[in-house]
Amino acid sequence: MVAAPSGDHVYVGLTVGAGIAAFAVNPEGTLADLPGSPVATAGPTATLAVAPDGKHLYGTTTDGLRGGVSTYEIGPGGLPGPAVAFAELDSTSHFGMLTIAPDGRNLYLADGAGNQIVQLPVDGNGIARPGGQRIPAGGMPVSPGVTPDGRFLFSPNESGTVSVYRIAADGVLTEVPGSPFRTGIIPHGVTFSPDSTRAYVPHAILNTIAGYAIGPDGGLTPLPGSPYGGIPIDSSGRALTSRDGRRVYIIEVASFSDRGSAHVRTYDVLPDGALRESERAVDTGLIFPDGPCAVITGRRSADARAGPFALRGRPGADPCRAGSVARGRSRQPGVARPDVRRGGMRNGVRARSRL
C-alpha cells in the first residue's frame, strides 16, 4: 500500500488474482474506488512505490515465469494505466519489497530470498530500469526505507540486524562502518524522524521498538530507554512517523492475546527521541496486516487536525493476499481513537477506523 504525494489517492497491490486497486481519499478521509479500479496487471503485485512527483507507480510483479518491477503511468484522475515497462529481475525478486529515493531517481528492492538489495535506476521518463547495483544484505531483508534527506538506506533483516548504506549521488550503495547493527528479533518496517536524525525499528517478536540516533556517517546509537513497549503476545510489524515528527504509530502484524485482531499504538516522541506510549491501543478489526500495509495520507479535513490513516487488512484473512483496506483519521492531533466501522469493497472488506 502506498499513498500519492498529494494525499489524494491510495494504491493497493493485489496478490490474489492480479491488479492494483486505486482509491480516492475524500475530504473527510473516507476512501472511494476510482472508476476503472482495479487496474489489471500481468500477475500478482506484492509491493508498490510511487514517484515523488506522483506521475508514476512501480510494483513488484510476476507473470508466473518472470519476476521484476513494472512501471505504470498515473493519469490526471489518479488511475494508473497499463504497465509501460517491465524491469526483469531474478525469479524470486517479485516477492521483495520496494522503496524509492526522495529524488525519485532510484528504486531499491529488498530481495529477501536472495539476501540482497537491488538498485533500479529510474530514467528521465520515469521508467524503472534493470542493471543497477546488487549489494549483500543481512539474512531475509524486508521493508527497506530511505531517510527523508536521501542520504541513507536502511534494511531491516529478519535475522535480527539492520543494514545501513550510504547513498551516493548516482544511487550506488556503500555499507556504513559497523553495519549490520544488531537489533531485536525479526525487525520490520523502519520509520524516521523528519530531520533524518533518528530511526525507529519495530520487532515482530517481543513487540518492542528500537530507537536509534543516526550519526553523520550512518552509524546507529541506541536512544535513551530503547527498546520501548513490549507485549510478548503481540507482534509489531510497521512503524510510521507523523508529519510533524511528534508521534510514532506502531501497527501490529497480529495479536495473539484474547483480543485477536491487530492494533495501532500511539507513542509520543520525547525531546531526547525516546518513545512513550500515550493512548490505549486501537483495535483495527483486521487480521495479520503484514508488510507495507499502512500509510498516512497527509490530507486534512475540517474536523480532523491529523491526516487520515489507512491500513490494509481483512478480518479472518491475510490482508496482503486479500487486498483489502482499513482507513481512519484523528479527531485530536495524532491521537488514535477507537470507532470501528466496516463496509463492502470490490476486493474484500474495507474497515473504517476513526483514529
Side-chain angles (χ1 to χ4, degrees):
M1 167 182 279
V2 293
S6 65
D8 293 336
H9 300 98
V10 168
Y11 304 101
V12 178
L14 306 180
T15 55
V16 172
I20 297 172
F23 303 91
V25 182
N26 295 320
E28 70 276 13
T30 58
L31 299 178
D33 294 285
L34 287 179
S37 173
V39 176
T41 59
T45 298
T47 61
L48 298 169
V50 64
D53 63 7
K55 295 181 179 180
H56 292 88
L57 186 68
Y58 308 95
T60 54
T61 189
T62 177
D63 60 7
L65 298 175
R66 303 176 303 157
V69 175
S70 294
T71 300
Y72 308 87
E73 292 181 348
I74 298 176
L79 187 72
V84 296
F86 179 71
E88 185 173 356
L89 299 172
D90 298 336
S91 59
T92 60
S93 62
H94 62 275
F95 294 112
M97 297 185 183
L98 281 175
T99 192
I100 191 166
D103 62 7
R105 293 165 55 189
N106 288 277
L107 287 159
Y108 299 98
L109 182 143
D111 180 2
N115 294 329
Q116 63 180 342
I117 302 296
V118 181
Q119 173 206 13
L120 293 95
V122 177
D123 68 19
N125 295 315
I127 307 299
R129 301 295 185 186
Q133 178 194 28
R134 296 166 183 265
I135 189 169
M140 288 295 295
V142 294
S143 301
V146 178
T147 54
D149 62 9
R151 296 182 61 207
F152 301 106
L153 174 80
F154 280 56
S155 171
N157 306 307
E158 289 192 337
S159 58
T161 62
V162 178
S163 297
V164 182
Y165 307 88
R166 179 181 292 277
I167 302 176
D170 60 358
V172 170
L173 303 176
T174 302
E175 196 162 10
V176 306
S179 175
F181 298 91
R182 178 62 56 183
T183 188
I185 305 174
I186 309 186
H188 271 201
V190 61
T191 192
F192 306 99
S193 60
D195 63 2
S196 302
T197 62
R198 295 163 180 158
Y200 299 95
V201 181
H203 306 133
I205 302 298
L206 300 184
N207 206 32
T208 55
I209 309 102
Y212 299 100
I214 304 172
D217 63 351
L220 302 184
T221 302
L223 291 169
S226 176
Y228 313 104
I231 306 174
I233 53 178
D234 296 329
S235 180
S236 296
R238 179 74 168 170
L240 297 172
T241 303
S242 63
R243 297 297 176 94
D244 61 9
R246 295 173 57 191
R247 289 176 177 85
V248 168
Y249 304 99
I250 299 297
I251 298 91
E252 295 173 352
V253 174
S255 174
F256 302 100
S257 63
D258 56 2
R259 63 192 190 192
S261 55
H263 287 60
V264 177
R265 305 198 309 277
T266 303
Y267 288 83
D268 292 327
V269 180
L270 304 181
D272 60 1
L275 299 183
R276 179 182 62 197
E277 191 162 7
S278 59
E279 291 289 327
R280 176 180 294 181
V282 174
D283 187 352
T284 66
L286 305 180
I287 304 298
F288 203 64
D290 193 13
C293 296
V295 292
I296 297 176
T297 66
R299 291 206 62 177
R300 296 170 183 266
S301 59
D303 65 344
R305 288 180 283 172
F309 189 104
L311 282 168
R312 180 173 65 171
R314 180 175 185 173
D318 178 346
C320 294
R321 300 177 65 83
S324 308
V325 172
R327 50 77 49 197
R329 55 190 173 86
S330 297
R331 286 190 174 275
Q332 296 185 8
V335 176
R337 298 291 186 186
D339 178 14
V340 177
R341 298 172 294 166
R342 297 181 179 88
M345 161 180 158
R346 182 182 308 180
N347 298 296
V349 175
R350 179 163 60 234
R352 297 173 177 171
S353 324
R354 292 191 183 278
L355 301 181

